[in-house]
Amino acid sequence: MEKLTDFSFSGPLGTIECIVEPNRSRRDAVLIMAHGFRGSREGGGRAAGVAYQAACCCDVVRFNFTGTRILSQQVEELRAVIDEVFRRRPQCEIYLLGRSLGGAAAIVTAGQDKRVRRLLLWAAPNDLRFTFRYVMGAADYARLDAGETLFFDDERGRCELTPDFLTDFDKHDLTAILSAWDGRPVLLLHCLGDEVVLARQAQRNAELLGAAGSLHLFPGGDHSFSDYSVKAGALIAAWLAQEQGKSLTGRRR
């Protein structure tokens, strides 16, 4: 098994730089992490810790989406990372972990790509338009929905939101994707106190997945898992180890 190390490649929107947390097991598997809206591969400093915890079962790849792009372009970039990982490790198992809006990108990508064997959803939405209306407020959402471009500043700098950011959501029916899910295992993690993506969205996702979904709700907390990232990382590592054990047992039979 070829060792996977940090790598860069030419993606659909430019160069994508990937950081790899090396696998501490013999399993030929790679977990790719997709960050949320206005987030980054660092995840406020918590993503590296989660990656280290998950690396007990697989290599873990973190990367940045190219700026604030529409969901379709994030899916395109996520698919390009999968392709590049497979180019380097053609026999590996692929897992996806999507945080918040990255969770939506992971749902869409996994729904289209059966190479993804496991899906992990971290504070992931079910209804994208509802989520952004709730977060932005009715007035700003209405302006964007009416065709106006919005600008705002945050810790990552200037952000421009164009109307196609919303209209692109309509191309991706998350409910339909999860309703037609083919049974691949999915772990859903959510905080009951999430102030951005309400916990009932995770509950709805779990309902749609049925037996394929395993939902864990943390009491209180927030959208960033500020108090729960270590516990969530431990749960992810345990779940991956358990699922890998099931796969191994199934092959022996």
Side-chain angles (χ1 to χ4, degrees), residues 215-230:
L215 173 64
H216 187 93
L217 296 172
F218 294 91
D222 58 18
H223 187 61
S224 300
F225 279 63
S226 300
D227 298 326
Y228 288 114
S229 63
V230 173

Side-chain angles (χ1 to χ4, degrees), residues 178 188 201-211 213-215:
L178 296 180
L188 304 96
Q201 296 204 52
Q203 293 169 320
R204 176 58 175 156
N205 284 337
E207 290 172 2
L208 293 168
L209 287 164
S214 178
L215 173 64

Side-chain angles (χ1 to χ4, degrees), residues 14-33:
T15 300
I16 297 178
E17 298 179 351
C18 297
I19 296 176
V20 178
E21 182 65 42
N23 189 354
R24 300 192 300 279
S25 77
R26 293 182 177 275
R27 187 80 174 203
D28 190 4
V30 180
L31 171 66
I32 299 170
M33 296 175 63

Side-chain angles (χ1 to χ4, degrees), residues 162 167 169 171 197:
T162 53
T167 57
F169 288 160
K171 300 176 183 178
V197 179

Side-chain angles (χ1 to χ4, degrees), residues 71-167:
L71 181 59
S72 291
Q73 290 176 322
Q74 292 192 343
V75 169
E76 193 177 358
E77 287 195 309
L78 183 52
R79 188 180 296 118
V81 175
I82 294 174
D83 288 342
E84 182 64 18
V85 168
F86 260 114
R87 189 184 72 80
R88 294 165 182 266
R89 291 269 292 280
Q91 303 303 318
C92 75
E93 292 185 351
I94 291 288
Y95 314 140
L96 293 186
L97 187 159
R99 294 182 279 134
S100 192
L101 186 59
I107 290 170
V108 174
T109 303
Q112 298 170 346
D113 193 336
K114 304 304 182 184
R115 294 177 299 179
V116 178
R117 303 288 296 279
R118 305 283 186 272
L119 178 62
L120 302 93
L121 302 177
W122 176 302
N126 172 268
D127 185 331
L128 291 166
R129 278 188 171 268
F130 172 83
T131 298
F132 276 86
R133 186 186 303 113
Y134 181 80
V135 173
M136 296 174 64
D140 282 341
Y141 178 88
R143 290 167 55 201
L144 186 62
D145 198 28
E148 183 177 343
T149 296
L150 301 184
F151 299 90
F152 64 89
D153 297 290
D154 61 14
E155 65 277 3
R156 295 200 67 191
R158 188 73 161 170
C159 177
E160 176 183 346
L161 277 187
T162 53
D164 61 348
F165 181 79
L166 287 184
T167 57

